[in-house]
């Protein structure tokens, strides 16, 4: 805080006038540096509405160091003139003087002096006029006295060019009384203390106002991962809709459950080395429900249950191959098989967990991602029911405009791609896949013939990337994650409205 | 999903009208296709090889259309147009018939038993009196290529050979011979080669080298001869030059050799049905039509609509499944043409009825399935713990389940042989050699990638690791772990120890030997000697905590001391 003396003096000045004072004028009249007054203004402002200060800026002309010298002693050319005696002066002598060089050429062009180059003993300089009028000095004196307005712009610019004048901008405050103006200053408290509360003297104190423009201190806290926050929301939606969570904690799966049980033929491209991670250890699964395996073999190779089958040589060796599961539908198959071994009751299942693909990686594809899956098994479910359930599910995500496109998937028939209308992009974008499980998958499991099973799936990463505006999946999932992004990410009230 | 490129103007000419891009996109959507891209040859070349190469290329507009993987009948312009025209009621469902040759004697392809060990199946057909134009010819070649890449699984399951019948004479023989004994002039070559020479010739051929492995190491190679000993082809590699087809070819002999007979028949049916429209007697070819009977009620119930039997029969007919109400109740007889190998069950017919009805015209209903939701207990525990661990000041990380052997062994000062890790046989890079057996390396890598962040770094993860387990049907199981690390200028063992105490408090386990939890000194090469302890809960070892060994810190490219905790959470269920 500035010296209290200055503050009070300033307040007294302000009190005496009606319209206000200029900080620069106050500084001049008090004979102090302007910065002292500026500091006093800042301190008074911090006290609340004691004064009000309006920042003003003005331009004015000032003499440079050289200009000040000229104002005192005369211009270089006039000093050259006055140091030349009647008998003249040797040019070499003149040039030794500090103002000699510039003064000589100026005095020459003003025709005040002449050079006799042929003079005996070297060139000699003589006066050519009796007296001179040092206008440069007079102009500078005018500026120095604060009468720069009496000069023409052209004249000022010329002096500026000679580096004798410079134009400066001065900032000052126009100070007027504030709403709670007073000429005395009370010391302000910064914080409320236990002692003040105990003694009650806070009532007499004035408190320094807070700066509400500044940020607070960041809390010391932990954070949940954004993908997991979105996962929690999807999980919540399924639970609200009455879906039971499937145990998907088995990343290693046999080809049998991942493909064969889903009626996916053994030559299907998804079963290639290029698409699926196979295991070398443990390379094979060794235990299958034998009766069921025989029924699966039969429906693939010969057909049955009203199906032509694929009519190929189904091999147990292919089914035994262990893989990293390529979809959580392998777990759905296990669950439906289990369900078929009991007296049938309708079920609704869901899962959200990791799946693995041996694919080419890019900015949006990793070798592992999370699949969201929903399954409903009941008597007489229709395609209309599937679309109805999807409508409810996506409505909970804030997506209400849906349409469906026929598609192909080896284990569902019909198969539908789900599209939602993207208000931002003004077009339909794919948000998931869905379908009705094929009888060739369900009947060998032993489910009743009139039971239909509808299902749908989508990835967790895509909606999360859109929700949190992430373009490169590696910044979201895996060790290259940007922890600052994790620290800064908001809660997930709703998964994104648009994928 | 295969993509078919067709010239837009040619397509519109065949469809008998033009569409705006939006209109055509809409039609595709309804029919289950996707207009993937609108481009031109020039644009494609310019994108792939640069503008200079593209100059002079055609700028005729191409539509790239995505076709469902099981609809081989839509892989060429002819099939697409036929499907869409029938769908839009502009064309009657074509009826494919066989015609006999004028001589009355059909051609014969004799299969010898030598083929059994290499490629046992073959089927053949003839397209008679066909008229090719440049466009039809290009489409014919393109269809073979599409079939080869898709259903034929890059020629391994089926390979197609097409020949000018008028240059050869039947009966034909499909046999297998030693490579040295097969000699012929292959397509587009100027001299004869033996099969052995051909295999080395094509080693450097950018296209054919991909197919050599199919027969390369077999003692006998498949080959087809005509009655004069002319080589038609050496499937699945190359045809002979002698019988090659041209724009002038009138009669095309098509052979398909295969390891899968069902697929061979499907492929032959496709080739013949697609191009029979250019024969003097269109759509004439012999064929296995199949009839299926189903009830209108079945369709109505499965789709969720209520249409008359006649209307349903009409819907199916629009999908090239010629159908009619038989009059016996609501029975419908459906004829499955040879082009629709994808129809193997009544549910496939039902889907076609739904597509023709329009998926988006079906009333959306809510099933009345009453169920009570349950969480998977392990996931419920995980969700609850995660919340409270974040509340304890730790930040959640999410790392890959797959990693390198080095990550879980050498870097932690362990031997891979001692880990019960599952190994991947076909990783494309070292990042996918094994499934993780511990969460620790992932967290340390997360810190390494975020070294610019202010200290301390406090991270945790609750997720699954994978361990070999003989008692499981697949020989492995997941194990849910909780791992946390503290990284700062001092090791902060007390911080990690405090987190363990807090976790136990959350799990209602009291600090005590016997029925509670306690920690006791342990030896582990991952940790600094004397700074590692086992965690015992009710007498059972559930995990370990300690200060990491400086070598481990270095191997993960870290510079500060670090303490860590990892434990099983399944015992707390």
């Amino acid at each position: 805080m500035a010296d209290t003396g200055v503050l009070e003096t300033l307040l007294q000045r302000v009190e005496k006038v009606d319209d206000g004072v200029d900080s620069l004028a106050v500084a001049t009249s008090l004979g102090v540096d302007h910065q002292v007054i500026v500091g006093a203004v800042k301190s008074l402002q911090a006290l609340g509405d004691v004064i009000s200060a309006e920042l003003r800026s003005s331009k004015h002309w000032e003499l440079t160091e050289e200009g000040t010298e000229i104002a005192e002693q005369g211009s270089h050319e006039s000093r050259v003139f006055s140091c030349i005696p009647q008998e003249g002066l040797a040019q070499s002598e003149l040039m030794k003087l500090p103002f000699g060089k510039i003064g000589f050429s100026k005095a020459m062009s003003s025709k005040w002096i002449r050079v006799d180059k042929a003079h005996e003993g070297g060139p000699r300089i003589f006066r050519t006029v009796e007296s001179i009028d040092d206008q440069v000095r007079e102009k500078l004196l005018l500026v120095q006295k604060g009468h720069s307005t009496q000069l023409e712009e052209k004249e000022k610019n010329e002096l500026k060019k000679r580096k004798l004048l410079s134009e400066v901008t001065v900032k000052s405050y126009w100070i007027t009384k504030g709403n709670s103006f007073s000429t005395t200053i009370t010391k302000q408290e910064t914080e409320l203390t236990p002692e003040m509360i105990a003694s009650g003297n806070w009532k007499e104190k004035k408190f320094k106002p807070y700066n509400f423009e500044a940020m607070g201190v960041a809390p010391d806290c932990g954070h949940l991962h954004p993908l997991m926050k979105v996962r929690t929301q999807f999980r919540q939606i399924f639970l609200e809709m009455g879906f039971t969570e499937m145990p998907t904690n088995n990343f290693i799966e046999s080809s049998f459950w991942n493909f064969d049980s889903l009626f996916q033929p053994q030559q299907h491209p998804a079963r290639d080395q290029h698409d699926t991670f196979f295991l070398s250890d443990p390379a094979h699964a060794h235990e299958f429900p034998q009766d069921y395996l025989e029924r699966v073999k039969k429906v693939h190779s010969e057909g049955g249950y009203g199906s032509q089958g694929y009519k190929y040589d189904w091999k147990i060796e292919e089914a035994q191959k262990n893989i990293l599961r390529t979809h959580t539908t392998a777990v759905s198959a296990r669950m439906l098989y289990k369900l078929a071994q009991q007296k049938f009751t309708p079920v609704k299942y869901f899962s959200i967990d990791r799946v693995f693909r041996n694919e080419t990686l890019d900015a949006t594809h990793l070798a592992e991602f999370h699949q969201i899956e929903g399954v409903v098994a009941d008597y007489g479910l229709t395609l209309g029911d599937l679309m109805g359930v999807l409508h409810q599910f996506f409505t909970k995500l804030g997506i209400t405009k849906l349409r469906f496109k026929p598609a192909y998937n080896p284990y569902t028939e019909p198969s539908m791609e789900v599209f939602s209308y993207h208000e931002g992009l003004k077009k339909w974008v794919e948000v998931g896949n869905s379908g009705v499980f094929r009888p060739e998958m369900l009947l060998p499991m032993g489910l009743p013939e009139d039971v239909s099973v509808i299902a749908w799936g989508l990835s967790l990463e895509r909606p999360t990337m859109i929700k949190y505006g992430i373009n490169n999946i590696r910044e979201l999932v895996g060790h290259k994650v940007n922890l600052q992004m994790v620290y800064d990410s908001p809660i997930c009230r709703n998964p994104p409205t648009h994928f | 999903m295969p993509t078919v490129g067709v010239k837009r103007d040619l397509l519109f000419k065949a469809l008998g009208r033009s569409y705006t891009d939006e209109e055509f996109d809409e039609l595709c959507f309804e029919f289950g296709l996707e207009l993937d891209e609108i481009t031109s040859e020039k644009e494609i070349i310019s994108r792939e090889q640069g503008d200079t190469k593209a100059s002079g290329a055609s700028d005729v507009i191409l539509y790239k259309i995505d076709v469902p993987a099981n609809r081989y009948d839509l892989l060429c312009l002819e099939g697409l147009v036929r499907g869409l025209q029938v769908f839009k009621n502009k064309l009657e469902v074509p009826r494919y018939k066989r015609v006999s040759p004028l001589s009355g004697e059909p051609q014969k392809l004799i299969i010898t038993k030598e083929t059994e060990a290499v490629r046992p199946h073959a089927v053949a057909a003839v397209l008679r009196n066909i008229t090719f134009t440049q466009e039809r010819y290009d489409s014919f070649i393109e269809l073979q290529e599409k079939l080869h890449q898709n259903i034929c699984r890059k020629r391994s399951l089926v390979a197609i050979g097409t020949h000018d019948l008028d240059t050869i004479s039947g009966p034909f023989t499909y046999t297998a011979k030693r490579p040295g004994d097969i000699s012929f002039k292959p397509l587009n070559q100027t001299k004869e080669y033996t099969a052995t020479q051909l295999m080395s010739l094509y080693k450097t051929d950018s296209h054919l080298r991909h197919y050599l492995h199919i027969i390369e190491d077999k003692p006998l190679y498949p080959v087809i001869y005509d009655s004069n000993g002319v080589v038609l082809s050496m499937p699945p590699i190359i045809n002979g030059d002698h019988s090659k087809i041209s724009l002038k070819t009138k009669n095309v002999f098509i052979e398909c050799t295969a390891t899968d007979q069902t697929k061979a028949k499907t492929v032959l049916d496709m080739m013949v049905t697609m191009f029979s429209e250019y024969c003097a007697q269109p759509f004439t070819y012999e064929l296995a039509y199949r009839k299926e009977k189903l009830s209108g009620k079945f369709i109505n119930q499965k789709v969720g609509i209520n249409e008359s039997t006649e209307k349903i029969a009409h819907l199916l007919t629009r999908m090239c499944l010629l159908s009619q109400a038989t009059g016996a109740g609501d029975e419908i007889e459906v004829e499955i043409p040879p082009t629709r190998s994808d129809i193997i069950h009544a549910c496939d017919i039902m889907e076609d009825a739904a597509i023709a009805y329009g998926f988006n015209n079906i009333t959306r209903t809510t099933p009345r399935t009453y169920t009570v939701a349950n969480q998977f207990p392990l996931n419920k525990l995980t969700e609850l713990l995660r919340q409270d661990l974040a509340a304890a000041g730790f930040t959640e990380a999410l790392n890959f389940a797959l990693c390198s052997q080095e990550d879980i062994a050498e870097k932690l000062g362990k031997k891979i042989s001692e880990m019960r890790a599952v190994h991947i046989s076909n990783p494309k890079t070292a990042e996918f050699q094994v499934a993780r057996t511990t969460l620790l390396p992932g967290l340390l890598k997360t810190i390494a990638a975020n070294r610019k962040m202010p200290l301390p770094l406090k991270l945790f993860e609750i997720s699954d690791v994978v361990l070999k387990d003989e008692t499981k049907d697949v020989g492995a199981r997941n194990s849910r772990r909780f791992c946390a690390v503290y990284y700062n200028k001092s090791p902060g063992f007390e911080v990690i120890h405090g987190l363990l105490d807090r976790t136990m408090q959350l799990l209602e386990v009291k600090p005590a030997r016997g029925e509670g939890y306690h920690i006791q000194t342990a030896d582990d090469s991952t940790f600094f000697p004397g700074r590692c302890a086992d965690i015992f809960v009710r007498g059972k070892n559930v995990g370990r905590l300690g200060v990491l060994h400086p070598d481990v810190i270095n191997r993960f490219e870290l510079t500060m001391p670090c303490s860590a905790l990892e434990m099983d959470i399944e015992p707390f269920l």
Side-chain angles (χ1 to χ4, degrees):
Chain A
M1 186 177 281
D3 178 12
T4 330
V6 179
L7 297 189
E8 288 183 348
T9 315
L10 178 60
L11 289 171
Q12 284 153 16
R13 292 283 173 121
V14 176
E15 194 194 13
K16 284 179 201 148
V17 294
D18 290 330
D19 55 342
V21 295
D22 183 70
S23 59
L24 207 54
V26 176
T28 318
S29 75
L30 291 179
V32 298
D33 192 88
H34 185 224
Q35 281 312 308
V36 174
I37 304 299
V38 171
V41 168
K42 293 256 161 80
S43 297
L44 289 171
Q45 279 178 316
L47 296 178
D49 199 13
V50 179
I51 56 161
S52 87
E54 183 193 336
L55 191 61
R56 289 181 173 183
S57 67
S58 61
K59 284 184 172 181
H60 77 143
W61 292 93
E62 242 177 33
L63 268 58
T64 63
E65 207 178 310
E66 196 182 344
T68 316
E69 191 188 317
I70 289 171
E72 281 170 18
Q73 307 179 15
S75 66
H76 302 305
E77 54 272 32
S78 74
R79 286 157 80 188
V80 164
F81 181 82
S82 48
C83 73
I84 296 173
Q86 202 62 40
E87 66 276 19
L89 186 68
Q91 189 173 12
S92 54
E93 286 297 313
L94 176 68
M95 289 305 167
K96 282 177 193 162
L97 298 169
F99 47 83
K101 240 182 194 164
I102 307 169
F104 169 73
S105 58
K106 284 278 170 192
M108 279 297 284
S109 62
S110 304
K111 296 195 172 116
W112 292 346
I113 55 170
R114 67 177 174 88
V115 186
D116 180 0
K117 285 188 178 161
H119 198 277
E120 200 180 315
R124 202 172 181 85
I125 297 158
F126 296 94
R127 289 189 182 186
T128 52
V129 290
E130 281 301 308
S131 63
I132 54 160
D133 179 12
D134 190 357
Q135 286 194 0
V136 173
R137 186 183 181 198
E138 276 156 27
K139 286 175 190 165
L140 289 175
L141 283 170
L142 274 176
V143 174
Q144 202 174 38
K145 285 175 189 150
H147 306 304
S148 64
T149 43
Q150 292 178 21
L151 292 183
E152 282 175 36
E153 280 306 301
K154 201 178 139 196
E155 292 172 314
K156 283 185 275 200
N157 284 327
E158 201 175 302
L159 291 168
K160 188 181 170 189
K161 231 184 245 167
R162 285 184 68 177
K163 296 191 172 140
L164 303 178
L165 274 190
S166 67
E167 193 173 25
V168 291
T169 308
V170 178
K171 291 199 167 157
S172 63
Y173 286 99
W174 185 253
I175 308 160
T176 52
K177 291 171 194 156
N179 288 332
S180 47
F181 182 80
S182 143
T183 51
T184 52
I185 297 158
T186 4
K187 186 167 174 285
Q188 290 183 311
E189 298 293 337
T190 44
E191 290 298 355
L192 191 62
T193 65
E195 292 75 25
M196 292 177 199
I197 295 170
S199 67
N201 71 352
W202 57 269
K203 291 174 199 155
E204 288 95 53
K205 306 244 179 219
K206 283 216 163 181
F207 289 85
K208 198 176 174 189
Y210 279 165
N211 175 10
F212 293 116
E213 299 300 318
M215 298 290 280
V217 177
D220 190 10
C221 61
H223 310 262
L224 293 172
H225 192 279
L227 190 81
M228 291 293 130
K229 292 200 245 196
V230 179
R231 182 185 188 279
T232 300
Q233 274 318 304
F234 273 105
R235 208 169 162 269
Q236 183 65 28
I237 288 171
F238 276 115
L239 292 170
E240 285 165 10
M241 290 175 70
F243 283 65
T244 285
E245 192 169 30
M246 291 188 272
T248 44
N249 56 335
N250 60 325
F251 296 165
I252 309 303
E253 191 52 278
S254 62
S255 294
F256 178 77
W257 287 107
N258 195 82
F259 298 121
D260 294 287
S261 71
L262 297 170
F263 198 52
Q264 195 149 350
Q266 295 187 328
Q267 326 84 336
H268 194 278
R271 302 180 71 155
D272 258 11
Q273 298 275 324
H274 302 293
D275 287 19
T276 299
F277 287 113
F278 288 85
L279 295 195
S280 56
D281 181 24
H284 299 108
H286 50 76
E287 202 184 306
F288 304 96
Q290 208 50 44
D291 293 0
Y292 173 50
L293 181 129
E294 288 303 326
R295 294 195 294 272
V296 169
K297 174 180 178 173
K298 190 156 180 257
V299 77
H300 277 248
S301 50
E302 297 168 31
Y305 309 100
S307 175
Q308 302 286 309
Y310 293 123
K311 301 201 172 81
Y312 70 97
D313 189 10
W314 188 90
K315 293 192 177 77
I316 177 76
E317 294 77 16
E318 278 299 320
Q320 284 172 329
K321 286 182 181 170
N322 271 338
I323 58 165
L324 279 151
R325 68 171 174 225
T326 63
H327 46 200
T328 50
T329 318
V331 176
S332 307
R334 282 180 182 265
M335 292 297 284
L336 289 169
Y337 171 74
K338 205 172 139 199
L339 181 69
Q341 307 318 302
Q342 312 149 10
K343 184 181 166 0
F344 180 80
T345 47
V347 295
K348 294 196 285 216
Y349 289 144
F350 83 94
S351 66
I352 310 171
D353 212 337
R354 294 179 197 239
V355 298
F356 305 84
R357 308 272 169 93
N358 195 10
E359 283 174 349
T360 313
L361 313 178
D362 59 32
T364 53
H365 292 89
L366 290 171
E368 52 188 280
F369 62 94
H370 289 73
Q371 183 187 340
I372 301 169
E373 182 169 351
V375 177
V376 184
D378 199 352
Y379 293 104
L381 292 175
T382 67
L383 198 53
D385 288 335
L386 172 57
M387 293 193 282
V389 173
L390 283 166
H391 179 74
Q392 289 182 329
F393 177 78
F394 281 98
T395 299
K396 280 190 169 279
L397 298 174
I399 296 173
T400 48
K401 259 180 164 174
L402 285 187
R403 68 173 189 169
F404 299 90
K405 173 178 167 290
Y408 169 68
N409 180 352
Y411 48 88
T412 54
E413 188 80 9
S415 308
M416 307 189 295
E417 282 169 5
V418 189
F419 283 72
S420 92
Y421 191 74
H422 193 294
E423 297 291 349
L425 297 174
K426 297 269 175 253
K427 67 172 190 177
W428 293 90
V429 293
E430 195 188 329
V431 291
N433 262 299
S434 67
V436 182
F437 284 135
R438 294 190 69 99
E440 292 98 324
M441 167 184 161
L442 302 178
L443 297 177
M445 289 177 171
L447 285 169
E449 214 166 321
D450 45 357
V451 165
S452 290
V453 182
I454 58 180
W456 72 98
L458 55 152
S459 99
L460 176 63
E461 278 77 357
R462 188 151 170 246
T464 307
M465 286 173 76
I466 291 162
K467 160 113 194 148
Y468 291 106
I470 297 164
N471 294 321
N472 185 346
I473 196 164
R474 282 168 189 76
E475 284 180 22
L476 176 68
V477 186
H479 58 270
K480 288 182 185 154
V481 66
N482 175 355
L483 279 180
Q484 192 63 51
M485 178 278 294
V486 176
Y487 292 173
D488 296 344
S489 69
I491 52 171
C492 178
R493 224 171 324 188
N494 272 321
T497 322
H498 294 295
F499 284 37
Chain B
M1 200 185 280
T3 305
V4 184
V6 292
K7 290 178 182 160
R8 185 191 63 182
D9 294 347
L10 222 54
L11 175 72
F12 288 172
K13 196 175 150 206
L15 288 173
R17 62 161 281 195
S18 62
Y19 291 83
T20 64
D21 292 341
E22 290 73 28
E23 283 169 344
F24 191 72
D25 185 49
E26 203 57 36
L27 174 63
C28 282
F29 193 96
E30 211 183 332
F31 193 60
L33 303 170
E34 201 168 316
L35 179 54
D36 186 50
E37 199 189 350
I38 300 163
T39 181
S40 70
E41 245 170 65
K42 193 170 187 170
E43 209 178 304
I44 296 170
I45 298 173
S46 138
R47 188 172 51 209
E48 288 167 0
Q49 304 170 30
D51 287 339
T52 41
K53 295 251 176 159
S55 72
S58 159
D59 45 16
V60 169
I61 291 175
L62 287 181
Y63 273 180
K64 294 265 179 190
I65 300 170
D66 279 350
V67 174
N70 62 342
R71 292 298 299 271
Y72 314 114
D73 58 319
L74 304 176
L75 287 175
C76 60
L77 175 76
E78 290 73 14
L80 266 177
V81 168
R82 215 175 290 162
L84 288 171
Q85 290 294 75
V86 174
F87 184 63
K88 299 304 282 180
N89 282 319
K90 288 189 186 146
L91 185 73
E92 295 253 334
V93 180
R95 172 88 209 163
Y96 305 100
K97 291 197 299 280
R98 188 181 76 174
V99 283
S100 297
L102 289 175
S103 68
E105 273 297 302
Q107 292 290 351
K108 273 189 193 153
L109 176 67
I110 301 152
I111 304 172
T112 74
K113 68 176 186 334
E114 286 82 7
T115 60
E116 272 170 29
V118 48
R119 205 171 175 81
H121 309 290
V123 288
V126 175
L127 279 168
R128 293 184 193 282
N129 265 320
I130 195 164
T131 308
F132 278 128
T133 62
Q134 187 64 49
E135 266 120 16
R136 292 171 183 183
Y137 182 84
D138 291 346
S139 179
F140 188 70
I141 302 294
E142 182 68 20
L143 175 63
Q144 278 181 64
E145 187 52 28
K146 290 279 180 224
L147 290 169
H148 273 151
Q149 293 310 317
N150 291 285
I151 181 175
C152 304
R153 299 306 312 282
K154 303 198 167 85
R155 303 194 191 180
S156 62
L157 298 183
V158 187
I160 311 161
T162 56
H163 310 275
D164 187 335
L165 182 62
D166 299 322
T167 65
I168 43 181
S169 65
F172 305 98
T173 308
Y174 175 48
T175 185
K177 284 190 166 186
R178 287 213 306 273
D181 297 343
I182 302 171
S183 179
F184 65 105
K185 188 166 89 173
L187 196 60
N188 302 329
Q189 294 288 341
T190 49
K191 60 171 191 142
E192 287 202 2
Y193 293 85
T194 66
T196 319
Q197 289 167 332
L198 279 178
M199 295 303 265
S200 60
L201 177 69
Y202 292 143
K203 274 267 180 303
T204 53
D205 187 292
S206 63
H207 180 56
L208 295 177
R209 67 191 161 97
H210 302 294
Y211 308 119
L212 303 183
H213 72 94
I214 303 171
I215 56 166
E216 204 165 25
D217 52 359
K218 306 276 185 191
L220 302 180
Y221 286 4
V223 60
I224 302 177
Y225 291 100
D226 85 343
S227 61
N228 299 320
V230 171
V231 171
L232 273 64
S233 65
M234 182 176 84
I237 313 296
I238 189 81
N239 288 347
D241 194 62
H242 179 90
S243 57
K244 74 174 171 199
I245 62 165
S246 68
L247 287 179
K248 295 192 195 90
T249 299
K250 296 309 289 178
N251 297 294
V252 185
F253 179 72
I254 305 172
E255 37 87 3
C256 295
T257 58
T259 54
D260 181 318
Q261 190 168 23
T262 315
K263 290 211 160 41
K265 286 182 182 165
T266 304
V267 169
L268 186 66
D269 283 352
M270 265 344 128
M271 288 298 294
V272 176
T273 52
M274 289 302 111
F275 285 85
S276 58
E277 74 175 80
Y278 302 133
C279 294
Q281 287 174 273
F283 304 126
T284 50
Y285 165 61
E286 150 184 34
L287 295 149
Y289 274 84
R290 189 174 93 234
K291 291 205 167 155
E292 295 279 357
K293 283 181 182 162
L294 43 80
S295 70
K297 186 177 157 204
F298 166 79
I299 303 269
N300 279 326
Q301 278 188 347
K302 291 285 178 187
V303 180
I305 51 176
N306 190 14
E307 295 295 323
S308 69
T309 310
E310 288 71 23
K311 174 77 192 298
I312 292 169
H314 179 68
L315 289 173
L316 290 172
T317 302
R318 276 177 52 213
M319 300 302 288
C320 290
L321 302 175
L322 193 61
S323 303
Q324 55 195 20
T326 59
D330 64 347
E331 189 182 68
I332 300 169
E333 189 178 66
V334 186
E335 189 177 69
I336 320 296
T339 47
R340 294 300 304 275
S341 58
D342 59 301
I343 306 268
I344 58 175
H345 192 277
C347 70
D348 298 302
I349 299 173
M350 177 262 287
E351 177 181 62
D352 274 19
I355 293 173
Y357 185 85
F359 280 1
N360 297 298
N361 297 325
I362 299 168
T363 309
R364 295 172 192 179
T365 47
T366 305
R368 298 210 189 118
T369 312
Y370 174 80
T371 53
V372 173
N374 283 303
Q375 304 187 46
F376 179 49
L378 182 58
N379 289 359
K380 182 176 181 179
L381 175 64
T382 304
E383 284 285 300
L384 292 170
L385 268 184
R386 286 175 52 243
Q387 300 284 341
D388 270 310
L389 289 166
F394 280 70
T395 291
E396 186 175 34
L398 178 72
N399 287 295
F400 300 124
L402 304 184
C403 60
S404 68
Q405 292 187 11
E406 199 191 10
D407 283 344
I408 57 165
E410 288 88 342
K411 282 184 170 181
L412 294 178
K414 306 258 163 129
K415 288 204 180 80
I416 187 71
S417 55
E418 289 162 7
M419 318 303 287
R420 286 182 290 156
V422 304
H423 290 254
I424 292 165
S425 66
N426 57 333
K428 280 180 187 153
T429 70
E431 292 169 84
F432 313 117
Q433 288 173 325
V434 290
R436 63 181 171 190
T437 53
T438 156
L439 301 179
L440 183 60
L443 289 184
L444 295 178
K445 283 156 80 177
T446 304
I447 294 178
N450 285 279
R451 275 176 308 193
K452 61 178 194 305
M453 298 295 291
L455 294 174
L457 283 172
K458 299 197 276 185
L459 300 181
F460 82 95
E461 183 169 0
I462 303 184
S463 194
D464 287 353
V465 301
V466 181
L467 303 171
K468 281 207 283 185
D469 182 346
E470 275 306 306
T471 66
K472 298 286 170 185
D473 60 346
V474 296
R477 68 175 164 87
N478 283 20
S479 171
R480 181 97 13 124
R481 294 281 179 82
F482 158 46
C483 184
V485 292
Y486 177 81
Y487 182 72
N488 202 357
K489 287 180 183 137
S490 64
F493 179 82
E494 68 288 356
V495 178
I496 281 296
H497 190 188
L499 184 68
L500 172 68
D501 294 335
R502 172 65 184 147
T503 308
M504 289 301 159
Q505 193 175 43
L506 292 168
L507 293 167
E508 294 182 271
V509 185
K510 294 201 159 36
R513 289 186 184 258
E515 275 313 287
Y517 77 95
H518 72 275
I519 63 173
Q520 82 186 34
T521 181
D523 268 338
D524 187 322
S525 45
T526 303
F527 295 92
F528 199 46
R531 297 277 187 278
C532 170
D534 276 332
I535 306 164
F536 284 89
V537 173
R538 296 180 194 108
K540 193 173 164 243
N541 184 353
V542 297
R544 205 159 268 184
L545 79 168
V547 175
L548 291 187
H549 196 286
D551 288 343
V552 173
I553 292 173
N554 280 328
R555 289 189 203 109
F556 282 95
E557 293 164 16
L558 298 175
T559 52
M560 303 277 166
C562 182
S563 53
L565 149 72
E566 180 157 1
M567 60 186 273
D568 265 341
I569 65 160
E570 289 177 42
F572 301 96
L573 277 176

